[in-house]
Every structure is written in C-alpha cells, then in structure tokens.
Amino acid sequence: MKKILFLILSVGTITSSSQSFVSTSPENKNIILEEFTGIHCTWCPAGHLIGQQLHDNNPNDVFLINIHTGGVATPSAGEPDFRVDPMGSNIAGQSNLSGYPAGTVNRHQFSMSQNGGTAMSRSDWSSASTQLLSQSSPVNVGLQANIDMSTNTLTVDVEVYYTGSQNSISSNRLTIAVVQNNVEGPQTGASNNPGAILANGQYNHNHMLRHMMT
C-alpha cells in the first residue's frame, strides 16, 4: 500500500521579517489533537474514529497526530514497532495521562484534564476542541513542504505573522511533526473502527507520528 507523508505544525511562533504565503488577517485558533495510542490498545481504534470525525467536521482547522507509545505500543514478536521514543514517551509523560487512549488538545489544561496535566479521555476531545476553535489566535502560521524523492530530502518553509499580543508569555517555540498516513499493521480492537480494517484484515493506521523536525 502506498504510504503518504503529511506534515503537521503543532505549535508555532517565531519572528519573521517578511511574509509570502502566511495570512496576515486575524484568525481563530486551530486544533492539534495529539492522541496517545498503541497496537495493543483495545479502545484506541474508537479514539482514532473520534479524532477522524473531529478532523472531518473541521478539515481546515483540526489536525491529528497519533503517537504510539507506552506499554500498549510495545510490539510482540514479528510485529512492527511504530514507537518514536524518546520523543513519543516524552510527549506522553508531560501530559500526565492515566490510561489509553488519551489525548491532548493544543496541550491546554482543561477542567476535565487528567491528574492536573493536559491529557483527556476520548469523550472530552470534541468539547475541548469546540472551546478553543472559537477563540482568536494571536499568531498565524503558514507552512510549505517539498519532498525530493530522488534524495529522500524533505524541506519545510514556515512563516508566522503576529496579529495580536500575548499576555504573560515571554517566548514562543516552534514544533514541526512529520506524520504518515496509510500504514498497514496490526491493531487490537480494530472492530471499534471498522472503516479502518483493510481487505486483508490488517488495520490502516493514519496520522502516525514519524519524526519531530525541531
């Protein structure tokens, strides 16, 4: 099966002297849903489905990063290893998650977040996203990527444009995640997301974190 490479900008803010493709008009916030998942997690496919529906309902505003990490992501003999540790485990660790699947929305701490962190149960992702989608963003981020298949080189250009000010924040950081769609592999509980089951019985993994460029 053909594997497709996508790029997701997870947090963006740096200074820039000129703009060629980033919007300079004020806009509302986008959503980055980081979902902590694994091939041996029974209810993770249900989380994949919720995340996909959230994206499909807001295709230009919601972006997904599925992070295979933790014990549920440890492969058995002969199975592929989709983990990207220590990146994945570090991101999961700072979220204070208490079970799988769990997810963070913009790494924001909500009233329903777990253990004083940012991780939430899958049933809370939609309402958390709705809260932030209606808020204005102080910065716009534009991204253009080019892949040279002959040299396996990925080049990413990022532009930012501040449309407002930020209170009590003295610095900003940029994180670029590389994710991949259409990765065939095993998955416990695949029946909880039947649309992702392939004709050969394998599971079609999407939005899989592959690398952090920054």
Side-chain angles (χ1 to χ4, degrees):
M1 175 171 290
K2 183 178 179 181
K3 298 178 180 179
I4 304 176
L5 187 67
F6 287 85
L7 291 133
I8 298 295
L9 188 73
S10 59
V11 186
T13 49
I14 53 177
T15 59
S16 179
S17 58
S18 64
Q19 293 74 40
S20 61
F21 54 83
V22 67
S23 171
T24 58
S25 300
E27 299 181 12
N28 283 352
K29 293 179 179 179
N30 287 345
I31 296 299
I32 298 292
L33 170 61
E34 293 172 294
E35 180 180 346
F36 306 110
T37 187
I39 59 175
H40 294 294
C41 169
T42 302
W43 290 104
C44 283
H48 302 163
L49 180 59
I50 291 172
Q52 188 63 54
Q53 290 172 337
L54 185 60
H55 165 75
D56 291 346
N57 291 336
N58 306 273
N60 298 316
D61 299 318
V62 174
F63 303 91
L64 310 176
I65 303 176
N66 287 5
I67 304 173
H68 289 249
T69 188
V72 296
T74 303
S76 300
E79 292 181 333
D81 190 348
F82 295 144
R83 296 172 296 179
V84 286
D85 290 335
M87 290 179 289
S89 58
N90 288 342
I91 297 171
Q94 71 178 9
S95 75
N96 289 352
L97 63 85
S98 60
Y100 293 84
T104 68
V105 173
N106 290 15
R107 299 187 186 177
H108 182 81
Q109 188 175 47
F110 295 87
S111 60
M112 55 278 208
S113 297
Q114 302 169 354
N115 303 321
T118 58
M120 294 175 289
S121 169
R122 64 185 186 277
S123 61
D124 295 319
W125 300 345
S126 180
S127 60
S129 298
T130 299
Q131 291 182 41
L132 297 189
L133 284 170
S134 62
Q135 297 180 8
S136 60
S137 173
V139 61
N140 296 336
V141 182
L143 180 149
Q144 291 183 344
N146 178 68
I147 303 174
D148 186 335
M149 300 303 291
S150 64
T151 61
N152 286 331
T153 300
L154 172 65
T155 302
V156 180
D157 292 320
V158 180
E159 290 184 356
V160 303
Y161 186 85
Y162 284 88
T163 60
S165 59
Q166 300 174 100
N167 297 325
S168 70
I169 297 177
S170 59
S171 65
N172 298 139
R173 299 179 184 274
L174 179 73
T175 301
I176 299 175
V178 180
V179 302
Q180 188 174 16
N181 279 354
N182 301 322
V183 181
E184 183 178 319
Q187 179 63 61
T188 302
S191 60
N192 291 311
N193 185 14
I197 300 176
L198 301 171
N200 61 4
Q202 291 286 289
Y203 190 84
N204 191 37
H205 292 274
N206 287 310
H207 322 294
M208 184 186 294
L209 178 64
R210 300 309 247 170
H211 185 61
M212 287 287 189
M213 295 184 68
T214 50

